[in-house]
Amino acid sequence: SSDLVDNVAQLRAYVVTGGDLGSLAGWDEAYNAAFSVTHRLAVTVLPVKALAAGAKLEVELLAATLP
């Protein structure tokens, strides 16, 4: 993983489901591809009906570095 990913402490994802929670099935695969097993962080996944500009996914990352 890259240095940036190593600094991520929290992830919040808004996933458009259109009311079908089955559309969250691909989330784990995408998450596991981005973050290693040894670097797990606080994750919140929120199903939503719609996002701005027709987006299907919006992700917020909180990262920190120590001095």
Side-chain angles (χ1 to χ4, degrees), residues 8-38:
V8 174
Q10 179 181 4
L11 180 148
R12 182 177 296 135
Y14 301 90
V15 181
V16 174
T17 62
D20 174 19
L21 294 180
S23 60
L24 291 174
W27 171 253
D28 284 336
E29 184 178 332
Y31 175 79
N32 290 330
F35 296 96
S36 70
V37 174
T38 59

Side-chain angles (χ1 to χ4, degrees), residues 1-62:
S1 63
S2 72
D3 290 338
L4 175 64
V5 170
D6 290 340
N7 293 331
V8 174
Q10 179 181 4
L11 180 148
R12 182 177 296 135
Y14 301 90
V15 181
V16 174
T17 62
D20 174 19
L21 294 180
S23 60
L24 291 174
W27 171 253
D28 284 336
E29 184 178 332
Y31 175 79
N32 290 330
F35 296 96
S36 70
V37 174
T38 59
H39 182 74
R40 292 299 182 193
L41 46 132
V43 177
T44 304
V45 179
L46 301 162
V48 296
K49 290 185 180 181
L51 291 168
K56 299 294 183 191
L57 173 68
E58 180 177 324
V59 177
E60 295 177 15
L61 299 173
L62 175 64

